[in-house]
Amino acid sequence: MQLIAWAQTALFFVFYLAIFVLSVVALLDLLRRPATAFVSAGKLTKGKWGAILGVATAVAFMALPAPLGLGLLGFLAIGAAVAAIVYLVDVKPAVSPYRGRGGGGGRPGGW
């Protein structure tokens, strides 16, 4: 019986860790993009996506089991995963052609 309990705990830890990593990757990608790219692509503003992904990352961290996180709000981790996946699948490809910080002033292609 203890082997099953250990396996469940390990599975949940891996699951919540994957959601946390996914949220951090989405948030870091967001920080690399220029704010004008979101408006040009017809998406929510960078500030709104920053708030969504910031909350998603915080929730994903709190959902991590006790050694790393707090072990709270586990049921909301699915919402954090959905927010990160929507950003990575829908928003990131739309804003990727736009360069920031010396890469072309927010125009597609960078030239």
Side-chain angles (χ1 to χ4, degrees), residues 22 26 43-44 49 52-53 78-94:
L22 190 68
K43 302 296 178 185
L44 289 177
W49 271 111
I52 291 168
L53 292 176
I78 298 297
V82 168
I85 290 169
V86 166
Y87 175 81
L88 292 171
V89 171
D90 181 46
V91 179
K92 180 182 175 183

Side-chain angles (χ1 to χ4, degrees), residues 5-31:
W6 181 86
Q8 286 178 331
T9 302
L11 187 63
F12 275 112
F13 179 77
V14 169
F15 178 69
Y16 288 126
L17 184 63
I19 291 174
F20 177 66
V21 169
L22 190 68
S23 299
V24 168
V25 166
L27 186 60
L28 291 176
D29 183 77
L30 171 86
L31 295 175

Side-chain angles (χ1 to χ4, degrees), residues 1-2 10 13 23 34 36 39 42 44 53 55 59 66 86 89 95 102 111:
M1 218 33 151
Q2 287 216 332
F13 179 77
S23 299
T36 56
V39 177
L44 289 177
L53 292 176
V55 169
V59 167
V86 166
V89 171
V95 298
W111 288 96

